[in-house]
Amino acid sequence: MTIPSTYNLSLSEKVSLLITQQKKDWPLFRDNLAGMDKIESRNFSFGEFQITAQFNPERIRSSAAKTDDASIRERPCFLCEKNRPKEQQGVDFKGRYTILVNPFPIFPEHLTIPLNEHLPQSIMPYFPDMLQLSRELPGFTLFYNGPQSGASAPDHFHFQAGTKMLMPAEREIGKITGLYGGTLYQDDQIKMQWAGKEYLRKFICMTSASAPAVIRHFMLVLTALEKRGQKDEPMMNILSGFENGSWKIVIFPRDRQRPRQFFEQGEKQIMMSPASVEFGGLAILPRKEDFDKLSHGDLADIYSQVTINDTAFNELMQTIRSNL
């Protein structure tokens, strides 16, 4: 069920009304949103950048989600309309998606945007929609978790969106590319930059006012990543925002879904399952004991395991350069 279309309102205004309505009519969402006032945070400084750790017990469902094929087959898809709570309303986007509030938020405004069809996570067919959503929801940062890169529902395609500028990386990217990376390519339509291991998470960033240019260069990066031969689509997380007439797309290639610490037992275990938000510098810890004991060394080690390795990143950069 969706909120009826109101043609004289922007998509952003419709989403604002949705959030207000869901606070009023959906107790689970209202209570979890109110509970964000009690969420604890710790800032870890790494010199020129920071990682913010957030203790958020309601995120245990996502952090600990079983995403193997057998577990997915055995549970109903919580993103399909027939399985969603009756209180959960939505806003239509293009007749293809339903914009929903996330009942277990990380941000003051946290959206989940599932495709109306039950099709698996695979960014290539839907990347242009990500750009359009970013433009029509300028107060949000869109993010995408690949099927092996933090998606808790890899069987049902969806984006997420969170309040803009709350992830440290959003505020740091410009500075970081100058300190720990450089410019990969630039012409009159697009600028492509990168950063390496000194940032803990390697990335490629594209800035452009031209949607066709962004799409063309994104497909070039995706094709280069596909040469690595990973299962399903290449492992990656994506952040997308629109501001001052331009898109900024940040692609984080990666090597692993979860770090070694996730699978340890006892004191050695840290239940951190990195997805787009973590690559954006906001580390979600659903267990208090992990939040309390987390150290700079733990964070550096976890990110070093899940980000793309040095050799593969250098090869990726060379492949992109040769195809530009």
Side-chain angles (χ1 to χ4, degrees), residues 130-142 164 208-211 240-249:
M130 188 177 201
L131 298 186
Q132 187 175 346
L133 279 162
S134 300
R135 183 167 190 162
E136 295 196 36
L137 296 173
F140 289 86
T141 296
L142 271 287
K164 183 170 282 187
S208 175
S210 166
S240 172
F242 187 84
E243 191 171 7
N244 298 324
S246 293
W247 284 275
K248 180 170 285 186
I249 311 298

Side-chain angles (χ1 to χ4, degrees), residues 7-183:
Y7 295 104
N8 61 337
L9 295 180
S10 68
L11 185 65
S12 184
E13 289 169 329
K14 293 176 188 177
V15 167
S16 181
L17 287 175
L18 173 70
I19 294 170
T20 299
Q21 179 265 329
Q22 293 284 261
K23 287 179 187 177
K24 177 177 177 291
D25 296 337
W26 194 7
L28 174 66
F29 173 64
R30 181 175 63 244
D31 293 347
N32 286 341
L33 196 61
M36 289 197 68
D37 291 340
K38 300 177 182 177
I39 285 176
E40 297 181 48
S41 296
R42 296 173 61 197
N43 290 324
F44 292 81
S45 175
F46 288 84
E48 298 294 337
F49 65 93
Q50 72 173 34
I51 304 291
T52 299
Q54 181 189 101
F55 169 52
N56 190 333
E58 295 300 330
R59 295 300 297 179
I60 189 70
R61 296 164 182 81
S62 178
S63 297
K66 294 182 179 180
T67 58
D68 59 283
D69 292 341
S71 296
I72 288 172
R73 285 194 301 268
E74 291 171 1
R75 58 106 170 108
C77 176
F78 54 85
L79 294 180
C80 284
E81 182 179 6
K82 64 182 179 181
N83 299 322
R84 297 200 293 256
K86 63 179 179 9
E87 300 92 346
Q88 191 167 30
Q89 304 292 297
V91 168
D92 175 74
F93 177 67
K94 296 178 62 173
R96 299 183 70 193
Y97 301 85
T98 302
I99 301 175
L100 310 167
V101 298
N102 191 314
F104 305 104
I106 295 170
F107 306 94
E109 295 178 311
H110 187 172
L111 308 175
T112 301
I113 309 172
L115 194 69
N116 290 337
E117 297 179 81
H118 185 78
L119 296 172
Q121 289 288 82
S122 180
I123 189 60
M124 184 176 286
Y126 311 110
F127 183 68
D129 295 334
M130 188 177 201
L131 298 186
Q132 187 175 346
L133 279 162
S134 300
R135 183 167 190 162
E136 295 196 36
L137 296 173
F140 289 86
T141 296
L142 271 287
F143 51 100
Y144 170 80
N145 297 322
Q148 300 294 320
S149 302
S152 55
D155 55 324
H156 192 131
F157 183 84
H158 63 286
F159 300 113
Q160 293 186 67
T163 312
K164 183 170 282 187
M165 289 297 170
L166 291 191
M167 287 181 277
E170 296 179 80
R171 305 185 295 271
E172 297 166 348
I173 291 294
K175 175 176 67 174
I176 292 303
T177 53
L179 289 170
Y180 305 137
T183 299

Side-chain angles (χ1 to χ4, degrees), residues 230-275:
Q230 293 174 329
K231 180 184 176 183
D232 300 317
E233 73 177 9
M235 295 182 72
M236 65 181 144
N237 299 97
I238 305 169
L239 304 180
S240 172
F242 187 84
E243 191 171 7
N244 298 324
S246 293
W247 284 275
K248 180 170 285 186
I249 311 298
V250 188
I251 305 163
F252 298 96
R254 55 190 289 169
D255 272 349
R256 296 177 66 176
Q257 181 177 18
R258 284 167 170 162
R260 178 188 68 256
Q261 288 87 340
F262 184 91
F263 304 100
E264 294 280 9
Q265 301 294 319
E267 286 295 317
K268 293 183 178 181
Q269 186 180 41
I270 299 175
M271 190 174 285
M272 177 175 158
S273 185

